[in-house]
Amino acid sequence: MRIAILGTGVVGTTLGTAFVRAGHEVRLGSRSADNEKALQWATDLGAGAGTGTFADAAEFGEVVVNATGGLVSVEALTAAGGHNLARKVLLDVSNPLDFSGGFPPRIAQPDGGSLAEQIQATFPDVRVVKTLNTMTASVMVDPRSLPSRHSVFVAGDDAEAKQVASTLLGSLGWEPDEIIDVGGLVAARGLELYLPLWLSLMGSLGSAAFNIQVVRG
Amino acid sequence: MRIAILGTGVVGTTLGTAFVRAGHEVRLGSRSADNEKALQWATDLGAGAGTGTFADAAEFGEVVVNATGGLVSVEALTAAGGHNLARKVLLDVSNPLDFSGGFPPRIAQPDGGSLAEQIQATFPDVRVVKTLNTMTASVMVDPRSLPSRHSVFVAGDDAEAKQVASTLLGSLGWEPDEIIDVGGLVAARGLELYLPLWLSLMGSLGSAAFNIQVVRG
């Protein structure tokens, strides 16, 4: 599958590498086409890896992954271009963390909604799925690095888009019973508001290499 | 141990019953001393169970459990009386869920902090521990009702108070390795903001009989 990844931070490059290794074609998008980090990433990976602007990447991708910082995601997606995103599945893995008031950060959700819903409202014909934002990048792409089963969530209003998301999660090593559909995109509120607990856990465990498993009665 | 439980809802009565059965003496506090539900609860349980006003219960307890609705907790604790709470361990198991705007509820945290921190600021010499608010009442008191290990969190600024909380959790059946200290009371923000995800999970699983386990790498 052709996958656009918007954002060249740890999450973007880690996901991009994993998708290339899983056999997908990835274009890593950034603000400018001559982003050195992105170019180096593509050189290191070789076949299957390319770079470009947000718009280049979005035009290329059948699926688009928003791995930009949550506070600049709408701006980055606007730069990618609504026409390049139209009708595509958008995996929103970002977190709107506002550290301007120090630690712990505030979750910058607009009007009581989620960033994912704001993205959906801004680009109504994009099929937004919130997923993978509840763990660190290394766990996203290597779920078997933890010693037992754990959970990844998908939220979105388009059932087919959530199926595409689940298939892509499967290509990263997630087992079907680890993927939990938490409902419509309104559930992205809870996925984003989970981050403060995640940050507390990271602090108390002294490591980001953890995740939660939903245990059912 | 003498335990005051403030609040006669499902959480208060379920915790009260479990603590009596674990050998503690419980006084269930409510707005008025002739609360029929509370009186019936005490009659059903017999020895070890008593009732009274918020102030009666708080005066009686060595440990006080806030099981009132989060939106009225400060009011209930004020009725209990700062002098009856002074220097005691207060287990805050409440959630500030504001359903006035419909579902999903808003988490009504004051000024970006948590309800638990607001309680601590209002009663500075009380030793507040946030715990147990991340699951349904039946799981709080019967952790072995789920098929594998799972997690309960404690947050608070007083290490000794968190130790008391852990001992009481142990008397409900929680194993030491299931109890995760997530840090100071500031971590209560994340514990309260987890509720929207919990509510989404309850909706998608069709049951409240679940919890999360932290899986470490």
Side-chain angles (χ1 to χ4, degrees):
Chain A
M1 190 170 262
R2 293 194 311 277
I3 301 176
I5 307 226
L6 309 184
T8 60
V10 174
V11 173
T13 54
T14 303
L15 279 173
T17 300
F19 281 131
V20 168
R21 292 192 174 145
H24 301 289
E25 283 183 89
V26 173
R27 193 153 297 180
L28 193 64
S30 52
R31 210 165 293 276
S32 73
D34 58 357
N35 180 305
E36 279 187 33
K37 197 161 138 194
L39 292 167
Q40 188 61 52
W41 170 86
T43 303
D44 290 349
L45 271 177
T51 65
T53 62
F54 287 138
D56 294 334
E59 183 182 15
F60 169 84
E62 297 165 275
V63 168
V64 179
V65 178
N66 174 38
T68 65
L71 302 188
V72 299
S73 289
V74 170
E75 182 191 333
L77 289 163
T78 301
H83 56 290
N84 289 324
L85 301 170
R87 288 173 300 283
K88 292 180 180 173
V89 174
L90 177 74
L91 302 186
D92 176 29
V93 307
S94 71
N95 280 303
L97 300 179
D98 176 1
F99 285 94
S100 64
F103 193 91
R106 197 173 65 84
I107 306 302
Q109 293 189 328
D111 300 331
S114 58
L115 170 62
E117 290 165 277
Q118 185 186 25
I119 291 171
Q120 182 67 83
T122 308
F123 304 97
D125 59 358
V126 173
R127 298 187 287 163
V128 179
V129 178
K130 189 91 193 184
T131 190
L132 282 174
N133 71 301
T134 56
M135 67 197 78
T136 200
S138 63
V139 176
M140 292 180 192
V141 301
D142 188 10
R144 299 285 69 79
S145 63
L146 301 187
S148 59
R149 292 292 171 104
H150 46 109
S151 305
V152 61
F153 307 106
V154 292
D157 293 332
D158 185 306
E160 192 182 271
K162 287 196 277 195
Q163 192 48 57
V164 172
S166 295
T167 300
L168 284 172
L169 290 169
S171 77
L172 295 175
W174 291 90
E175 298 291 337
D177 67 349
E178 294 183 308
I179 303 170
I180 300 184
D181 184 341
V182 287
L185 200 60
V186 69
R189 296 178 192 183
L191 296 178
E192 294 173 6
L193 290 172
Y194 164 72
L195 260 287
L197 175 55
W198 186 88
L199 288 162
S200 292
L201 284 166
M202 182 183 68
S204 81
L205 301 177
S207 165
F210 70 89
N211 191 17
I212 55 173
Q213 181 202 13
V214 176
V215 179
R216 312 178 191 200
Chain B
M1 190 171 263
R2 293 194 311 277
I3 301 176
I5 305 222
L6 310 184
T8 58
V10 172
V11 173
T13 55
T14 302
L15 279 173
T17 299
F19 281 132
V20 168
R21 291 190 176 148
H24 301 290
E25 285 184 89
V26 173
R27 193 153 298 180
L28 193 65
S30 51
R31 209 165 292 277
S32 72
D34 57 357
N35 180 305
E36 278 187 34
K37 200 161 137 195
L39 291 167
Q40 187 62 52
W41 170 86
T43 302
D44 289 350
L45 271 176
T51 64
T53 62
F54 287 137
D56 294 334
E59 183 182 15
F60 168 85
E62 296 165 274
V63 168
V64 179
V65 178
N66 174 38
T68 65
L71 301 188
V72 299
S73 288
V74 171
E75 182 190 332
L77 290 163
T78 301
H83 57 290
N84 290 324
L85 300 171
R87 290 174 298 285
K88 293 180 180 174
V89 174
L90 177 75
L91 303 186
D92 177 29
V93 306
S94 72
N95 279 304
L97 301 179
D98 177 0
F99 284 94
S100 65
F103 194 91
R106 197 174 64 83
I107 306 301
Q109 293 189 327
D111 300 332
S114 58
L115 170 62
E117 291 166 277
Q118 184 186 26
I119 291 171
Q120 183 68 81
T122 308
F123 304 96
D125 60 358
V126 173
R127 299 186 286 163
V128 179
V129 178
K130 189 92 193 184
T131 190
L132 282 173
N133 72 301
T134 56
M135 66 197 79
T136 201
S138 63
V139 176
M140 293 180 190
V141 301
D142 189 8
R144 300 284 70 77
S145 63
L146 300 187
S148 59
R149 292 292 170 104
H150 47 109
S151 305
V152 61
F153 307 105
V154 292
D157 293 332
D158 185 305
E160 192 182 272
K162 286 194 278 195
Q163 193 47 58
V164 171
S166 295
T167 301
L168 284 173
L169 290 170
S171 77
L172 296 176
W174 290 90
E175 298 292 336
D177 69 349
E178 295 183 308
I179 302 170
I180 300 184
D181 184 341
V182 287
L185 201 59
V186 69
R189 296 178 194 183
L191 296 179
E192 295 173 5
L193 290 172
Y194 164 72
L195 259 287
L197 176 53
W198 186 88
L199 289 162
S200 292
L201 283 167
M202 182 182 68
S204 82
L205 302 177
S207 164
F210 70 90
N211 191 17
I212 54 173
Q213 180 201 14
V214 175
V215 179
R216 311 178 192 199

